[in-house]
Amino acid sequence: MEYEAVIGMEVHVQLLTKSKMFCSCSAEAFGAEPNTHVCPVCLGMPGSLPVINRKAVEYTIMAGLALNCQIAEFAKFDRKNYFYPDLPKGYQISQYDLPIATNGWLEIETENGHKRIRIRRVHLEEDTAKLFHMGDYTLVDFNRAGIPLLEIVSEPDMSTPEEARQYLIKLRTILRYLGISTADMEKGAMRCEANVSLRPKGSKELGTRVEIKNINSFRFVKQALEYEIERQRKLLEQGRSVEQITVGWDDQRNITVVQRTKEYAHDYRYFPEPDLPPLVISREWVEEIRARLPELPDARRERFQQQYGLSPAEARVLTAEKEPADYFEACVALYPEPKKLANWITGEFFRLLRDTGTSFEDVKVSPEKLVKLLRLVDEGTINQNTAKAVLREMFETGEDPQKIVEKKGLSRITDTAYIQSVIEEVLDANPDALQRYLGGKESTFGFFMGQVMKATKGRADPKLASKLLREKLTELKKNS
Ligand code: ADP
Ligand code: MG
Ligand code: ZN
């Protein structure tokens, strides 16, 4: 029997608020001395009271709108009760039955066009502390406890590991465009759990699902799903059934490992958080936030095609992240040749990023400098190949292209006497070719030109060199 996979994703992202979800501690997630961003509220001291972070609610509404969701008029927080050393209160404040946003979608690109993945819900909760397992003991850092966490749950609409990866990439792009999270998986600012089941191809019913936790990169999402789909397929083909379990991805051994079976499933005893008022979200506030939403990646990609005449591929590559799109538009403002800029940025520029492992934020070449480089080519000061070499150096040092050209003597040679001397040398070094030319073989001209350009490392002004070469040969022919 042929089976098809069904995949649904639960994604958690840390929000980039200044303070934590329910207290005024710093929400800086990275780099601080452990246990310095703490207070009675986020340490779960008895008698302390939480206060809702308005910015976090605003960011959740932004995410909800960007994901085409309905924003609840009435939402509330609930206690999710369980014990774990990273959870000082013994419960997490989350949202159970009345989340802030529901029923949305986002669009991913697939082999045969676009596909909508429905979003079931977007809700707000708090992060747990971070545990560091050090062999026979464990350390706990409460700086992370109480950082606002957005949970985004999709419907089971993905059918391949690649679609799941595309979904995450798209989600990350949207969150970054909104500026509400770094959504950096490697740093734990975005974490995902993938649910996967198999069913006979064409069937409408859902099979038993397995939840995969601990996936911290796009690559692992794909690997873990591929592994899990294969594992389930083998079971089903043997006539056995899939158990509803939670597994973890072991990225050392490239296998999934059972973490929890159904009999150990949690009963969280959710109940409304008594220390917080429900959230009444006015339509005015929602509309005010909607009006402030930045242009989102899909819209920007469309606009890049319409406004700048870029190909779908160019527009997609440039808008996949916000920084290159901003960079491109900053360049266009200075140098209104979008096609040429798109070519340079998606070609040479991206190649250098890849080769040097530089991220866009660390790029030393400002739009002004890139444009200056292109102008040097337009003016004929340097040729295309030299410009590529200069860009490479600009990437490393951040230096001005003009300065690099001067320092390295890269500019086009227009010195007549010098070019004439190079021509003499080339003719002297190739007496046979010269004889053939004088004997009437005109095509040898191209060979001489090639030699002149080679001797000047491509820097001789080709028009001038060609004119001088022609003059010299005509003179020799007359005298022969
Ligand atoms: P829970 O809250 O217990 O994890 P949910 O029903 O809320 O369970 O589903 C969580 C995620 O699992 C959602 O993204 C959903 O799309 C996905 N999911 C649910 N059932 C299946 C299934 N049979 N196969 C694959 N994914 C599923
Ligand atoms: Mg789950
Ligand atoms: Zn605190």
Side-chain angles (χ1 to χ4, degrees):
M1 192 186 302
E2 223 190 314
Y3 292 99
E4 66 177 2
V6 175
I7 303 167
M9 304 286 267
E10 293 166 275
V11 176
H12 286 92
V13 285
Q14 287 178 333
L15 292 178
L16 275 175
T17 51
K18 288 208 182 71
S19 56
K20 288 188 181 179
M21 188 58 230
F22 299 114
C23 61
S24 57
C25 290
S26 165
E28 188 84 57
F30 237 71
E33 189 71 11
N35 298 308
T36 53
H37 297 171
V38 291
C39 75
V41 173
C42 57
L43 286 176
M45 302 282 182
S48 61
L49 286 173
V51 176
I52 300 169
N53 182 331
R54 183 182 168 93
K55 202 71 185 175
V57 177
E58 182 181 318
Y59 283 177
T60 307
I61 296 172
M62 282 173 78
L65 291 173
L67 295 171
N68 307 292
C69 289
Q70 265 127 39
I71 308 300
E73 299 197 25
F74 186 87
K76 71 176 169 69
F77 288 98
D78 301 280
R79 283 192 186 179
K80 179 179 181 179
N81 299 281
Y82 66 99
F83 171 78
Y84 206 64
D86 63 9
L87 192 69
K89 295 195 294 290
Y91 59 86
Q92 178 193 32
I93 303 181
S94 179
Q95 298 192 280
Y96 184 54
D97 51 345
L98 294 172
I100 292 175
T102 52
N103 289 325
W105 51 266
L106 67 68
E107 204 162 67
I108 59 167
E109 279 183 56
T110 62
E111 284 161 34
N112 10 345
H114 301 289
K115 180 171 176 180
R116 263 187 198 190
I117 309 298
R118 289 169 302 156
I119 307 286
R120 182 181 293 176
R121 56 186 281 155
V122 179
H123 76 245
L124 193 50
E125 55 187 40
E126 55 178 339
D127 209 346
T128 56
K130 198 169 160 72
L131 298 179
F132 295 88
H133 302 291
M134 320 286 287
D136 56 358
Y137 64 97
T138 295
L139 298 175
V140 57
D141 177 9
F142 288 98
N143 285 354
R144 202 180 72 174
I147 288 181
L149 211 55
L150 200 67
E151 178 168 341
I152 301 153
V153 182
S154 84
E155 292 293 343
D157 285 351
M158 288 152 273
S159 34
T160 63
E162 177 57 20
E163 286 184 12
R165 198 177 77 95
Q166 292 298 333
Y167 171 81
L168 288 178
I169 291 177
K170 192 52 166 288
L171 196 54
R172 181 179 70 174
T173 307
I174 292 171
L175 295 165
R176 287 184 174 174
Y177 264 68
L178 294 173
I180 63 176
S181 177
T182 63
D184 193 337
M185 281 190 101
E186 279 72 23
K187 290 195 173 140
M190 175 159 157
R191 294 165 237 155
C192 91
E193 283 144 35
N195 294 270
V196 56
S197 61
L198 292 193
R199 66 180 171 195
K201 207 175 168 77
S203 153
K204 287 273 162 275
E205 266 160 69
L206 290 175
T208 307
R209 76 181 148 114
V210 166
E211 179 167 342
I212 314 172
K213 287 186 182 288
N214 294 354
I215 317 176
N216 52 19
S217 82
F218 291 118
R219 196 158 50 90
F220 292 157
V221 171
K222 224 176 138 174
Q223 286 180 357
L225 281 167
E226 276 161 4
Y227 178 89
E228 187 54 33
I229 289 169
E230 232 2 77
R231 192 186 69 82
Q232 292 184 21
R233 189 192 312 279
K234 284 201 189 111
L235 282 174
L236 295 173
E237 276 167 1
Q238 290 165 9
R240 294 161 67 185
S241 59
V242 173
E243 252 191 293
Q244 185 173 340
I245 51 172
T246 302
V247 299
W249 177 244
D250 180 336
D251 61 30
Q252 299 300 312
R253 295 187 289 165
N254 288 344
I255 56 170
T256 53
V257 196
V258 182
Q259 286 187 340
R260 192 201 300 159
T261 57
K262 205 180 174 188
E263 21 179 344
Y264 296 104
H266 282 129
D267 175 3
Y268 294 116
R269 277 198 321 110
Y270 280 100
F271 62 82
E273 169 57 56
D275 290 340
L276 291 171
L279 280 170
V280 177
I281 303 170
S282 78
R283 297 304 91 182
E284 291 74 48
W285 193 27
V286 173
E287 289 318 308
E288 189 253 310
I289 292 170
R290 194 197 300 278
R292 277 193 283 118
L293 282 186
E295 186 181 30
L296 292 165
D298 287 348
R300 201 169 196 189
R301 188 188 61 215
E302 277 295 309
R303 183 169 63 79
F304 273 28
Q305 290 182 50
Q306 304 296 330
Q307 185 176 344
Y308 301 126
L310 303 186
S311 72
E314 288 168 328
R316 177 158 30 80
V317 173
L318 283 172
T319 57
E321 294 283 350
K322 189 167 178 294
E323 288 81 10
D326 289 345
Y327 187 93
F328 169 77
E329 293 211 278
C331 289
V332 175
L334 300 166
Y335 184 84
E337 296 215 40
K339 267 301 222 188
K340 206 171 183 183
L341 283 165
N343 224 316
W344 271 90
I345 295 172
T346 61
E348 216 45 35
F349 205 90
F350 277 17
R351 190 179 355 268
L352 286 168
L353 284 176
R354 265 198 311 276
D355 290 355
T356 58
T358 313
S359 70
F360 224 96
E361 300 95 82
D362 300 329
V363 166
K364 294 181 184 145
V365 182
S366 64
E368 288 75 16
K369 284 181 185 153
L370 179 66
V371 163
K372 213 162 168 184
L373 178 69
L374 300 195
R375 292 225 166 90
L376 289 175
V377 179
D378 293 347
E379 291 157 5
T381 308
I382 53 175
N383 63 29
Q384 194 88 358
N385 275 329
T386 307
K388 288 182 183 169
V390 172
L391 183 61
R392 187 165 283 272
E393 173 136 5
M394 289 163 74
F395 237 78
E396 280 159 19
T397 62
E399 218 179 331
D400 185 277
Q402 180 85 48
K403 288 233 177 70
I404 296 172
V405 168
E406 280 164 18
K407 195 179 68 191
K408 299 214 150 173
L410 295 173
S411 60
R412 188 161 280 181
I413 300 166
T414 51
D415 178 338
T416 302
Y418 176 72
I419 296 177
Q420 279 170 334
S421 75
V422 172
I423 290 172
E424 300 274 352
E425 278 166 27
V426 165
L427 296 180
D428 282 352
N430 296 284
D432 294 350
L434 182 58
Q435 281 318 310
R436 281 200 295 279
Y437 181 87
L438 295 177
K441 197 158 184 293
E442 285 280 326
S443 62
T444 319
F445 184 86
F447 166 75
F448 290 131
M449 259 312 278
Q451 293 300 305
V452 171
M453 294 313 283
K454 199 171 155 200
T456 57
K457 298 202 172 66
R459 289 170 49 217
D461 179 343
K463 262 202 196 128
L464 180 60
S466 160
K467 176 172 153 273
L468 296 174
L469 179 62
R470 178 98 38 217
E471 281 170 12
K472 181 71 193 175
L473 289 171
T474 312
E475 178 197 321
L476 287 174
K477 203 160 194 177
K478 217 186 289 166
N479 300 341
S480 68

